[in-house]
Amino acid sequence: MAAVCTASRVLAKKVLSAKAIPAVSQSSRKLHFSVYGKNNSKVSDGMSTQYPVVDHEFDAVVVGAGGAGLRAAFGLSEAGFNTACVTKLFPTRSHTVAAQGGINAALGNMEGDDWRWHFYDTVKGSDWLGDQDAIHYMTEQAPHAVVELENFGMPFSRTEDGKIYQRAFGGQSLKFGKGGQAHRCCCVADRTGHSLLHTLYGRSLRYDTSYFVEYFALDLLMEDGECKGVIALCMEDGSIHRFRSKNTVIATGGYGRTYFSCTSAHTSTGDGNAMVTRAGLPCQDLEFVQFHPTGIYGAGCLITEGCRGEGGILINSEGERFMERYAPNAKDLASRDVVSRSITIEIREGRGCGPEKDHAYLQLHHLPPQQLATRLPGISETAMIFAGVDVTKEPIPVLPTVHYNMGGIPTNYRGQVITHTTEEGDKVVPGLFACGEAACASVHGANRLGANSLLDLVVFGRACAHTIADICTPGEKLSPLKPNAGEESVANLDKLRFADGNMRTSEIRVNMQKTMQNHAAVFRTGKVLKEGCDKMDAVYQTLDDIKTFDRGIVWNTDLVETLELQNLMLNAVQTINSAEQRQESRGAHSREDFKDRMDELDYAKPLAGQVRKPIEEHWRKHTLSTVDPKTGKVTLKYRPVIDNSLDAEDCAAIPPAIRSY
Amino acid sequence: MEVYMQKRITFSRDLSILGHRLLSSQQEQSHQDSAVTNKKDTMLSAFVAKRLVNGVCQASWRPAVAELVTTRGYKGEAPDDSRGDLIEIPLPPWTEKDGETMDIKRRRLLFQSRKRGMLENCILLSLFAKQYLNTMTEHQLRQYDRLINEPSNDWDIYYWATEAQPVPDVYTGEIMDLLKEFTKNKDQEQRLDAPNLEYLDKGSQ
């Protein structure tokens, strides 16, 4: 409703005359693509081939209203830009709301702290695949960003003296790893994600940001290698909207839903990555997918590490506490990637649990029921609701679960989307920006540290807004756009809406998810990955045989889920092909057949006398993947990691070293 | 014990701040739509009541009216939530959509049930919608609409459904009862994922 009011308010400023464009030659259905003003359009729920198109003009368009999108939209509106925010979900319902941890920032409220130590932790955490200029930018800006949020009204939890309370979180240390655990994570009790969304959404409304809620962005409008806006479907009435703008910011989140088991909501479908891929631009480092060791089997809901902290143990089909073999000292409390790998090995070797022997059990019933009820009350409810399991009697089925995507749309530290050629190096794509989980700046490199994600959202959302404010002024005239720009997207929409093949959306989706889960999960080997690539290619081809059942245009969930499947598929093929090619183990990408990291020098040995390998012979480089959407063929290129910080004197870059904790 | 005593002091300090805010917000909003004020009053007074009860409860991890913090599993020392953003940055009030047929409303609510902020709600509400949405009466549809679209924090809906938190008056009713019952999963069925949409395909049946 708000969207309709907003849209008509915008249209009052810009009324267009009706123009009819002849039918698209490619589709067999006669498709009329006509541009009407909103007041004149009539859309029925019947089988109409008419797609009324409404044009909007803005100074900036943000796609996605999660933490990063809202921060960018707010920053742009505050700077005076006429900003539109196009989102398929109501802002406070974005996946950011699931975040309960906090935001890392070296404020130094709990003990002396320095952002350079945070910089070191992040570089090391990324296994030296992160771009150090972007990491420098993020960790240096972190305290400013948190203080800024506080000024916007975010009620961070406080210590008794009224300073922002900071808690400990994994991977954070003092004095470059030598000073013990750091307490850097600022939070709003346990609803940091929600508070961030609520605060930014509320504040942005005061600056007159236009929200187009429950509009599904279909594609970017690209012309001559420049991004000129976005085309979207309004779910409420089935109309098509073209948002023309000089600056488009993509903040659409991750793509956990390519896997059978993930902790992400059903909205994490990689829409932004797919839009960029269809525009012919590359995505970066998609093979780096972070797995959390204990998500509920099937459902994927996160079972917190605290369960194991309270005495819960992982067992296999033989009832054995297998972690004792893999990590004799830490046992079930070994680091996340070690536990994930151990569970996967047990399953591969035939000791998995359940009828399909495809998961492990997390046993809690040996703990006193009182302890379960008081220390872990949420777990009992979640296990009952999603696994039908009474934790006082039975174990919970768990599986390493996809949790975060380190890869995404490649950007520089200012949030501008880049492409790369060996001759010219990095080149900015004019008019296109990206931030948040959808982007790859790259601050997380091969592995993300906890509580760095919310920081990433806020810092780079802000960076996009600042960069746009630097290079543009509000009210600039837009360059002309071809009258039939976006036609292919609408043709695709129409094709899917009336698709009548043999395979349902849900069937193809489950095939993709199972292929990814079986072939590109925690445990990767060349043979298994190659099989997976071939299977994934076959699944991709079945998209041509898809069958949808809802022919309507208003609130057509079947159509939206099918569009999302197309997007997921593009992400999946890139992920598995990139993983198959990368012959080393680094961060979250671990290969059983190539167990070591392969850098330009062997950092395990003394460096003197070693010859630096050329980039073609080592793996400390970013993967850039592109797809031909018609065939599903993936092409891979590589790009060097940025090893220098923004200011060598202020913050020395960290040379690679062996990563041990 | 000392830490706990300090926490209790914080509670009573918070209470006086809250009391003050409740009064001033009432004054501010007295010129606005009375429906909005009443709703805010109900929500704020429910909140104040909760704070009062918390202040009174002795050292128990799960007091009668559970703090948001302790029910979410092991997060270590998680400090109190002043809810300052919710009080000082009110979002535009949710309003019902006019002129929507029941059929269109059902289609909209289906989408809005399946696409939520976190996985737990995605699964729970889409299963709930599969079971009940197509047979809801108009009154029930309106209740459901309000329940899933008005609250700003998706976690709240999950806590109410799992009875970890008390339901605010404005959401109590048939639908909330149905949801709570559904959530209990008395038949202990496996809820591995949100259902595929094909149950809606009349053609295949």
Side-chain angles (χ1 to χ4, degrees):
Chain A
M1 175 112 152
V4 173
C5 298
T6 324
S8 35
R9 174 161 54 96
V10 169
L11 275 150
K13 301 177 195 164
K14 202 108 197 122
V15 173
L16 295 146
S17 55
K19 275 183 274 182
I21 314 287
V24 179
S25 52
Q26 289 149 322
S27 111
S28 57
R29 301 174 43 76
K30 284 239 178 272
L31 189 55
H32 283 275
F33 187 86
S34 342
V35 181
Y36 286 99
K38 185 107 181 164
N39 300 327
N40 299 340
S41 71
K42 283 197 192 91
V43 189
S44 68
D45 198 21
M47 308 243 302
S48 168
T49 54
Q50 293 282 347
Y51 289 97
V53 177
V54 178
D55 270 4
H56 308 263
E57 289 188 7
F58 283 95
D59 293 325
V61 176
V62 178
V63 184
L70 285 178
R71 183 62 188 85
F74 169 71
L76 286 163
S77 307
E78 193 192 26
F81 289 84
N82 188 16
T83 311
C85 187
V86 177
T87 166
K88 68 182 182 186
L89 301 170
F90 192 77
T92 54
R93 221 173 293 149
S94 302
H95 194 39
T96 311
V97 78
Q100 297 183 310
I103 308 182
N104 280 333
L107 293 168
N109 288 343
M110 309 305 275
E111 69 247 318
D113 203 353
D114 188 339
W115 62 265
R116 295 168 191 81
W117 301 339
H118 186 191
F119 169 78
Y120 168 79
D121 291 331
T122 308
V123 171
K124 180 178 171 188
S126 78
D127 217 349
W128 280 277
L129 197 71
D131 292 325
Q132 296 200 26
D133 61 345
I135 298 177
H136 173 163
Y137 183 75
M138 183 177 84
T139 51
E140 189 179 13
Q141 293 296 315
H144 306 301
V146 168
V147 168
E148 209 178 44
L149 287 174
E150 196 190 5
N151 292 336
F152 294 156
M154 237 173 110
F156 284 101
S157 298
R158 308 244 157 217
T159 60
E160 299 299 326
D161 336 336
K163 291 199 272 190
I164 294 180
Y165 170 81
Q166 294 183 280
R167 57 152 81 109
F169 229 83
Q172 303 294 326
S173 69
L174 298 166
K175 303 207 179 97
F176 304 104
K178 303 185 180 70
Q181 176 72 41
H183 296 77
R184 272 187 202 126
C185 177
C186 313
C187 60
V188 177
D190 69 345
R191 63 172 187 97
T192 315
H194 170 248
S195 184
L196 181 67
L197 292 177
H198 182 104
T199 307
L200 290 174
Y201 180 53
R203 291 283 179 211
S204 69
L205 289 174
R206 293 185 193 186
Y207 287 107
D208 217 22
T209 314
S210 307
Y211 281 94
F212 292 86
V213 178
E214 286 155 349
Y215 279 62
F216 190 90
L218 299 167
D219 270 304
L220 298 174
L221 299 170
M222 302 285 294
E223 219 165 87
D224 307 320
E226 191 182 326
C227 182
K228 297 196 173 177
V230 173
I231 181 167
L233 166 73
C234 172
M235 290 190 248
E236 189 176 6
D237 64 8
S239 53
I240 306 292
H241 293 252
R242 296 194 302 195
F243 295 90
R244 293 181 55 193
S245 164
K246 221 168 167 244
N247 305 292
T248 306
V249 181
I250 301 184
T252 49
Y255 59 95
R257 284 280 137 203
T258 44
Y259 284 80
F260 184 70
S261 192
C262 70
T263 63
S264 334
H266 282 260
T267 49
S268 295
T269 49
D271 301 328
N273 292 1
M275 281 166 40
V276 155
T277 302
R278 283 193 289 264
L281 298 168
C283 285
Q284 180 169 273
D285 294 341
L286 291 189
E287 65 268 39
F288 294 101
V289 176
Q290 188 172 67
F291 289 82
H292 190 281
T294 52
I296 286 191
Y297 169 72
C301 305
L302 207 56
I303 300 285
T304 179
E305 215 157 305
C307 285
R308 289 172 277 138
E310 289 294 329
I313 60 175
L314 288 163
I315 58 173
N316 59 19
S317 59
E318 293 165 12
E320 181 204 354
R321 185 184 181 179
F322 57 86
M323 283 311 300
E324 281 177 344
R325 275 189 281 123
Y326 295 96
N329 296 321
K331 299 188 203 169
D332 300 87
L333 284 171
S335 90
R336 280 184 190 181
D337 45 352
V338 172
V339 183
S340 297
R341 277 196 282 277
S342 311
I343 297 177
T344 316
I345 293 172
E346 287 296 299
I347 295 170
R348 280 220 165 259
E349 290 182 359
R351 291 186 289 278
C353 310
E356 283 177 58
K357 296 188 170 300
D358 57 356
H359 54 267
Y361 279 145
L362 175 63
Q363 184 179 291
L364 298 174
H365 56 76
H366 59 284
L367 302 172
Q370 183 60 17
Q371 188 181 354
L372 277 176
T374 55
R375 294 289 181 87
L376 305 169
I379 306 306
S380 319
E381 278 142 16
T382 306
M384 176 55 79
I385 295 166
F386 295 109
V389 152
D390 178 353
V391 297
T392 57
K393 301 198 183 90
E394 304 154 277
I396 312 173
V398 295
L399 191 64
T401 307
V402 170
H403 185 54
Y404 185 83
N405 302 106
M406 271 72 72
I409 305 169
T411 69
N412 57 23
Y413 77 94
R414 303 185 71 197
Q416 297 169 301
V417 171
I418 54 178
T419 50
H420 179 87
T421 50
T422 12
E423 304 81 38
E424 294 171 52
D426 289 342
K427 218 166 81 150
V428 166
V429 175
L432 192 58
F433 300 78
C435 53
E437 193 175 348
C440 185
S442 158
V443 281
H444 308 302
N447 176 54
R448 172 176 80 78
L449 296 179
N452 264 1
S453 177
L454 285 177
L455 176 62
D456 175 13
L457 305 185
V458 173
V459 169
F460 288 98
R462 184 165 161 273
C464 286
H466 283 186
T467 310
I468 293 174
D470 282 342
I471 59 184
C472 291
T473 47
E476 271 182 44
K477 195 160 144 48
L478 295 177
S479 61
L481 183 70
K482 283 211 200 73
N484 63 348
E487 214 171 32
E488 286 139 22
S489 314
V490 180
N492 179 51
L493 184 80
D494 188 68
K495 183 186 84 170
L496 290 179
R497 188 174 149 213
F498 294 102
D500 199 22
N502 294 304
M503 294 195 73
R504 297 183 169 285
T505 306
S506 53
E507 276 179 69
I508 303 182
R509 186 170 55 221
V510 114
N511 288 346
M512 169 192 70
Q513 289 174 334
K514 289 211 151 140
T515 308
M516 291 301 282
Q517 193 73 35
N518 293 334
H519 296 269
V522 176
F523 182 78
R524 300 169 173 185
T525 41
K527 184 162 153 294
V528 172
L529 284 169
K530 189 80 191 69
E531 254 177 66
C533 289
D534 296 333
K535 273 197 195 159
M536 186 54 74
D537 185 54
V539 176
Y540 189 91
Q541 306 307 328
T542 63
L543 274 178
D544 291 332
D545 197 24
I546 200 166
K547 180 186 170 70
T548 52
F549 65 87
D550 190 341
R551 305 285 178 234
I553 196 60
V554 173
W555 293 112
N556 187 343
T557 308
D558 187 27
L559 179 61
V560 170
E561 292 193 359
T562 310
L563 288 165
E564 286 175 339
L565 176 62
Q566 278 190 329
N567 294 343
L568 284 172
M569 199 67 87
L570 285 172
N571 283 287
V573 293
Q574 289 181 72
T575 303
I576 199 165
N577 279 278
S578 310
E580 197 258 327
Q581 283 299 308
R582 184 173 282 268
Q583 294 181 334
E584 64 153 1
S585 286
R586 183 183 297 268
H589 173 71
S590 78
R591 287 209 33 178
E592 217 33 44
D593 47 351
F594 293 96
K595 290 196 174 132
D596 300 312
R597 222 173 65 185
M598 207 170 297
D599 303 316
E600 67 278 20
L601 294 168
D602 188 347
Y603 292 98
K605 303 197 176 84
L607 301 180
Q610 285 196 44
V611 175
R612 200 167 273 271
K613 290 197 188 114
I615 194 169
E616 301 80 34
E617 289 177 31
H618 70 86
W619 283 102
R620 202 166 73 83
K621 54 195 184 188
H622 293 297
T623 311
L624 287 174
S625 48
T626 44
V627 188
D628 175 0
K630 292 191 190 63
T631 59
K633 179 156 163 27
V634 178
T635 315
L636 298 175
K637 256 187 357 190
Y638 294 91
R639 174 183 162 244
V641 173
I642 296 176
D643 283 322
N644 50 284
S645 68
L646 290 173
D647 182 343
E649 277 175 31
D650 194 23
C651 170
I654 316 281
I658 291 303
R659 180 168 167 250
S660 63
Y661 283 102
Chain B
M1 189 58 189
E2 212 184 281
V3 173
Y4 188 80
M5 286 310 291
Q6 285 178 332
K7 275 192 169 179
R8 293 194 62 194
I9 296 166
T10 323
F11 282 138
S12 31
R13 192 174 61 209
D14 276 359
L15 275 176
S16 58
I17 296 171
L18 275 161
H20 176 72
R21 279 186 174 149
L22 187 60
L23 284 169
S24 56
S25 68
Q26 278 176 335
Q27 284 159 6
E28 263 177 64
Q29 289 186 340
S30 58
H31 65 281
Q32 284 181 10
D33 184 14
S34 59
V36 177
T37 318
N38 286 341
K39 187 171 54 166
K40 278 217 144 37
D41 276 310
T42 323
M43 292 199 77
L44 278 172
S45 40
F47 174 54
V48 172
K50 184 174 100 166
R51 285 303 227 179
L52 275 164
V53 175
N54 267 324
V56 164
C57 279
Q58 289 298 322
S60 100
W61 282 84
R62 208 143 181 233
V65 177
E67 253 299 339
L68 212 82
V69 163
T70 56
T71 58
R72 193 50 203 144
Y74 187 77
K75 288 272 180 260
E77 278 293 310
D80 302 325
D81 183 356
S82 76
R83 302 177 89 97
D85 53 342
L86 302 177
I87 297 167
E88 282 160 44
I89 313 173
L91 295 183
W94 172 85
T95 47
E96 266 196 59
K97 274 193 208 275
D98 299 321
E100 219 181 14
T101 62
M102 289 236 300
D103 185 52
I104 298 292
K105 212 191 268 293
R106 274 186 237 273
R107 289 170 70 89
R108 174 171 62 84
L109 290 173
L110 176 68
F111 177 82
Q112 292 171 336
S113 302
R114 293 177 70 87
K115 303 291 180 191
R116 306 300 305 181
M118 77 280 190
L119 182 59
E120 288 85 341
N121 272 7
C122 281
I123 299 179
L124 197 58
L125 292 179
S126 43
L127 286 169
F128 183 76
K130 178 177 180 184
Q131 179 130 351
Y132 292 109
L133 191 60
N134 285 345
T135 51
M136 280 186 196
T137 62
E138 187 169 349
H139 176 65
Q140 288 175 325
L141 282 175
R142 284 212 228 102
Q143 271 190 4
Y144 187 57
D145 191 0
R146 168 169 253 188
L147 174 65
I148 68 174
N149 284 313
E150 189 177 29
S152 138
N153 191 350
D154 239 23
W155 285 112
D156 287 340
I157 305 176
Y158 185 67
Y159 297 141
W160 300 331
T162 55
E163 301 193 79
Q165 296 267 311
V167 182
D169 291 336
V170 73
Y171 303 114
T172 51
E174 287 173 68
I175 289 298
M176 194 67 232
D177 293 338
L178 273 176
L179 183 60
K180 281 199 248 182
E181 203 48 45
F182 182 79
T183 305
K184 285 196 183 101
N185 199 4
K186 290 220 168 93
D187 299 330
Q188 291 207 336
E189 60 181 28
Q190 283 206 309
R191 288 184 170 164
L192 296 185
D193 203 2
N196 295 321
L197 275 178
E198 277 79 17
Y199 68 90
L200 289 171
D201 184 2
K202 309 283 185 293
S204 72
Q205 284 150 13

